[in-house]
Amino acid sequence: MPSNTNASSGHSSGKKKGRRARLIVIVLVLAIVAGIGYGTYWSISTVRGSFPQTKGSIKLDGLSGPVDVKRDSYGIPQVYASSDEDLFMAQGYVQAQDRFWEMDVRRHMTSGRLSEMFGKSQVKTDEFLRTLGWHRVAQKEYDSKLSPETKKYLQAYAKGVNAYLAGKDAGDISVEYAALGFTNDYAPQKWTPADSVAWLKAMAWDLRGNMQEEIDRSLMTSRLGPQQIADLYPDYPYDRNKAIVQSGSYDSATGSYGEGSGGSGNQTGTGASAGTGTSTGTGTSTEGAAGTGLAGNTEAPDGLQSQLTGLSDALDQVPAAVGPNGNGIGSNSWVVSGAHTITGKPLLANDPHLSPQLPSVWYQMGLHCRSLSASCQYDVTGYTFSGMPGVIIGHNQDISWGMTNLGADVTDLYLEKLNSGGGYQYDGKTVPFKTRKETIKVAGGDDKTITVRETNNGPLISDRDDELVKVGKKAKVDAAAPDRGDGYGVSLRWTALTPGKSMDAVFELNKAKDWTQFRKAAADFEVPSQNLIYADTKGNIGYQAPGKIPVRGKGDGSLPAPGWDAAYRWKSYIPQSALPYEYNPKRGYIVTANQAVIDEDKYPYHLTSDWGYGTRSQRITDLIESKIAGGGKISTDDMRTMQMDNSSEIAKLLVPKLLKIDVSDKYVREAQKLLENWDYTQSPDSAAAAYFNSVWRNILKLSFGNKLPKELRVESQCLSVEPAGDTGPADEDRRVRECGERDADSAQPDGGDRWFEVVRKIINDENNDWWKAPATRTDAETKTRDQLFARAMEDARWDVTAKLGKDIDTWSWGRLHQLSLKNQTLGTNGPGWLQYVLNRGPWKLGGGEAAVDATGWNAAGGYGVIWVPSMRMVVNLADLDKSKWINLTGASGHAFSAHYTDQTEKWSKGELLPWVSSEKAVGANTKDTLVLHP
């Protein structure tokens, strides 16, 4: 379904949108009447029957008093109640009205029960998710870790969801259930508190840190040596891209360092000594690989190669909860103090970068007590997760907060020596597995029972693929490793598999009144580790790094560790009091965009070896600095403009060198000329951006991608290569055809800012070995940088021509760089006609990889958008009613609702909606009012 979002081309009128919505319904009904799909009549009343009631009144058993639900013209609800329990019960009811299909799919994912809805195609995914045991851990959290108050809220929320479900057939809840009914007699079950808590596990999984990098580094050893791998994981450029905490503090028994002004809990002192012996290498240190059979080898063990390939495949099959995991993705947030704003009070911006989903992962909502008291403590508005009470990101009447992924390394893979008689080896002894049975119910098929085995490091995830059970016996291992026998297993240790209190933190954040209460709440936000930024109406700004982050014995988490050696066990966790923070820094702003939290030379703990490389964060910092230079003041609209900055930092490095290359082919020269007056902005109508990004993609492919092992390259892309491990002289006769195996969205090189840094390190070494590329039937061998660049420019000319046509006057970045929104599950795997009516797009977007407007694409896989700013917000602490926000899609999860994607057009253009929160402003903005009463 085409939808033009180019800002220069205008937008559809309301009348056209109305006709389009009616057309969708007509197409759906006619398709069914005509016998397309399953030949079952599907009436317009079925399509519309699941729409929520938004006016009048509804009786809900369990409420203690009336609750008002006020929706604005975008369907965004603001809920008013007189007790906490009524407030969260109403939140559950209202979210279920708009989003229950989404909620139901999510809880089946987190509990490893997708097969109950979608049949045998999901069995493998369920096996992996049951092995991880997210829902089991969530239930343990609810039973033993959460406060009585949090439990009470979770119970109230579940009661609200179940009140919505009561008496409804599945088809009355959402049109997707009617489609599911063609092949499955599935009926939704009651909601439970653990269903809500489990969503935090899914969020933590997608933000888990460097597991994929750990796998990739190990897989690279089949074709690359230690120094080559180190080249591809360069050190963080602290001298160029500033860390988050520059003048802040951490509290510990040994003191703190740096300075802050007025921060509660700030200490003065000489500071803790840096460096505790923790390795911070790039993945080639002998300590990090000792005993694993990897150190010093140019070829990974056959069995390990097989295991890690299978594990990577399994990771690709797990549904993305909030985004694809990897170095390229992240989020932006920053806060500017009143000293630099036109309001005299702070401005706070946030835009998390997640996978595009329909409906959006976020649900905008306000939760308001009519009068604040001990029995009703909340007056908060912002972005929520459907299926979970409370507000995740937003503001109350005193403070505002935002989040970006901290990226701490909270996962480790362990190689396990499996003994033939059962059990695994640990410190020279055989230890029995801890086991449990899991039965997977399969719609339209037989149940399947699996056995989950756990070591003292965690679940044995290699059991979830037949290929991983039997590993190679010919693997090369060093003398310190035990005999491989029938093969090593792979287990996972992950902080999220230990019950915690993150759900408590959500409610504590929602009612925090000041910096002290904010930090106390942050201490309970154990998983996932997030960068939390802060601002309050009194004018203070701050940053806190929370999270449950391990302190390792030996190793740094960059490679799989030997599970049989107790020296590699986690020793403890970084004390919450020792995690970095910053309060009212003298510079007057704080920027977090997944860069390094703190310079490792100034901090005694190891957070990760795999930061984002700071391209976005430094660009935001430069934009702020340029605005305030000479006393300039920043407005809400300036913050919005910064969010939409689409400047390409890698283009600034490469274009001057590309323009110096003498190009003889007139068609390639024609494309090269596009770069001559380009300002490096990636607007959707830019032909130069289209050509440059193709050149960048081809540079990566020629210099790095074609040299990576097949496990990292895009599946079905085949090359003629020398066999892995071949050390003889180059010989065309020995070359074999080898095809990639990685999903396009997670293949390498992805083109993120790690690759910016890789290229920056060698850009002036014109004869570096990475610039060498073999000859093909159509291209000569390259031996220098400029030769490879010339070849990449030629390849890009024909690549773009093939996609956009020969006439460069018709080229635009938006035609290559498109976003399509797909409805969960059925929009991806349903019948073609159903995908047509449930999905939306494409939209032509600007922005790009590692730009502030981070509409991410994977350079190995193509130009399509695979992650986006999932929402944008700017909070005005001087007048909260003048804050702004936008969602990727809309409030509704109903495919034919007016609010299904009614914010997407504005989102694509960088526009923001008014975000009111005071009772008076909400009242003036209300379109529909629903009263829920006992």
Side-chain angles (χ1 to χ4, degrees), residues 215 218-219 221-222 292-294 297 299-312 414-416 418 462-463 465-477 483-490 560 564 710-711:
I215 293 170
S218 298
L219 292 173
T221 59
S222 68
T292 66
L294 296 179
N297 288 340
E299 179 181 359
D302 297 340
L304 179 60
Q305 202 80 14
S306 174
Q307 284 178 307
L308 293 175
T309 300
L311 175 56
S312 185
Y414 284 89
L415 302 182
E416 304 287 359
L418 310 181
S462 54
D463 277 353
D465 190 294
D466 292 341
E467 186 183 57
L468 306 185
V469 177
K470 296 180 180 180
V471 296
K473 294 182 179 181
K474 299 179 181 180
K476 297 176 182 179
V477 294
D483 178 67
R484 189 172 295 272
D486 288 334
Y488 295 149
V490 178
W564 51 81
K710 63 181 183 295
E711 293 86 359

Side-chain angles (χ1 to χ4, degrees), residues 646-866:
N646 57 31
S647 174
S648 171
E649 297 303 299
I650 190 63
K652 295 174 185 177
L653 178 70
L654 293 182
V655 167
K657 292 179 169 51
L658 295 173
L659 289 175
K660 291 179 180 179
I661 295 174
D662 185 18
V663 175
S664 57
D665 186 304
K666 67 176 183 178
Y667 290 108
V668 180
R669 172 59 185 148
E670 183 183 32
Q672 184 189 36
K673 290 177 68 176
L674 290 172
L675 306 178
E676 290 182 354
N677 298 308
W678 184 39
D679 61 0
Y680 310 123
T681 59
Q682 301 172 95
S683 59
D685 59 354
S686 171
Y691 179 60
F692 171 78
N693 281 315
S694 184
V695 174
W696 169 234
R697 183 185 183 210
N698 280 281
I699 287 173
L700 290 170
K701 179 181 177 181
L702 292 169
S703 52
F704 309 106
N706 290 351
K707 298 164 188 173
L708 296 177
K710 63 181 183 295
E711 293 86 359
L712 274 67
R713 300 200 312 268
V714 176
E715 59 183 341
S716 77
Q717 290 186 3
C718 302
L719 298 171
S720 177
V721 299
E722 293 185 19
D726 192 337
T727 57
D731 185 345
E732 187 65 31
D733 293 339
R734 291 203 309 271
R735 297 177 75 86
V736 297
R737 184 171 173 80
E738 187 180 82
C739 298
E741 299 177 352
R742 182 70 63 84
D743 181 82
D745 287 355
S746 58
Q748 293 294 334
D750 61 20
D753 66 354
R754 172 164 68 89
W755 294 99
F756 290 14
E757 194 64 20
V758 169
V759 170
R760 188 184 298 274
K761 291 284 188 182
I762 64 172
I763 191 67
N764 293 320
D765 181 0
E766 298 185 29
N767 298 304
N768 191 283
D769 284 346
W770 287 110
W771 302 130
K772 296 177 181 178
T776 68
R777 285 178 296 178
T778 57
D779 294 291
E781 177 186 12
T782 69
K783 296 182 179 180
T784 68
R785 179 197 69 195
D786 286 354
Q787 287 175 353
L788 185 139
F789 281 10
R791 185 164 154 185
M793 291 171 70
E794 180 179 2
D795 290 350
R797 175 37 158 133
W798 303 120
D799 182 28
V800 181
T801 296
K803 293 176 172 61
L804 302 184
K806 190 175 181 179
D807 184 358
I808 66 171
D809 290 338
T810 68
W811 289 4
S812 70
W813 177 224
R815 288 181 63 201
L816 284 179
H817 190 55
Q818 297 189 2
L819 168 68
S820 294
L821 294 173
K822 295 187 176 182
N823 184 281
Q824 288 194 51
T825 307
L826 293 180
T828 301
N829 297 318
W833 61 266
L834 189 57
Q835 293 186 40
Y836 180 80
V837 296
L838 293 181
N839 298 341
R840 299 291 183 271
W843 283 267
K844 299 174 182 178
L845 299 185
E849 190 61 43
V852 180
D853 182 18
T855 53
W857 56 287
N858 186 306
Y863 304 100
V865 177
I866 60 173

Side-chain angles (χ1 to χ4, degrees), residues 146-418:
L146 300 180
S147 70
E149 188 176 62
T150 295
K151 288 184 178 182
K152 182 172 63 176
Y153 299 158
L154 287 164
Q155 291 163 4
Y157 182 91
K159 186 163 62 173
V161 175
N162 293 328
Y164 170 74
L165 295 177
K168 289 184 174 66
D169 293 330
D172 297 330
I173 297 170
S174 184
V175 74
E176 288 91 341
Y177 289 112
L180 204 62
F182 290 140
T183 56
N184 188 355
D185 59 357
Y186 172 82
Q189 298 174 347
K190 286 188 174 182
W191 195 264
T192 72
D195 292 337
S196 295
V197 179
W199 181 240
L200 285 173
K201 302 302 173 187
M203 178 180 171
W205 176 254
D206 282 347
L207 303 174
R208 63 192 176 272
N210 76 336
M211 186 196 296
Q212 191 65 60
E213 284 84 355
E214 195 173 335
I215 293 170
D216 287 356
R217 275 189 286 262
S218 298
L219 292 173
M220 284 178 183
T221 59
S222 68
R223 288 206 170 273
L224 304 177
Q227 184 54 53
Q228 290 172 308
I229 296 174
D231 288 347
L232 302 186
Y233 291 89
D235 293 336
Y236 184 88
Y238 290 99
D239 58 335
R240 191 176 66 256
N241 296 340
K242 297 175 183 176
I244 296 171
V245 174
Q246 299 172 38
S247 62
S249 304
Y250 65 87
D251 304 328
S252 71
T254 55
S256 64
Y257 82 93
E259 64 179 353
S261 58
S264 63
N266 258 357
Q267 299 178 8
T268 57
T270 57
S273 61
T276 59
T278 304
S279 169
T280 58
T282 61
T284 57
S285 67
T286 55
E287 180 187 80
T292 66
L294 296 179
N297 288 340
T298 58
E299 179 181 359
D302 297 340
L304 179 60
Q305 202 80 14
S306 174
Q307 284 178 307
L308 293 175
T309 300
L311 175 56
S312 185
D313 290 344
L315 297 182
D316 275 343
Q317 296 306 311
V318 176
V322 293
N325 183 269
N327 175 266
I329 65 172
S331 306
N332 302 322
S333 70
W334 67 95
V335 60
V336 181
S337 76
H340 301 308
T341 69
I342 63 173
T343 67
K345 290 290 180 69
L347 294 171
L348 184 150
N350 196 187
D351 55 287
H353 307 155
L354 307 172
S355 65
Q357 297 188 18
L358 181 60
S360 165
V361 70
W362 300 110
Y363 182 87
Q364 296 149 291
M365 196 172 200
L367 301 171
H368 309 279
C369 289
R370 292 191 178 94
S371 177
L372 292 176
S373 66
S375 61
C376 201
Q377 307 170 73
Y378 296 88
D379 188 3
V380 60
T381 179
Y383 294 88
T384 72
F385 287 141
S386 301
M388 207 174 88
V391 170
I392 304 300
I393 295 173
H395 71 80
N396 57 34
Q397 296 308 304
D398 298 290
I399 76 165
S400 179
W401 67 96
M403 297 184 189
T404 63
N405 192 25
L406 191 150
D409 186 358
V410 295
T411 60
D412 275 347
L413 297 174
Y414 284 89
L415 302 182
E416 304 287 359
K417 165 60 178 173
L418 310 181

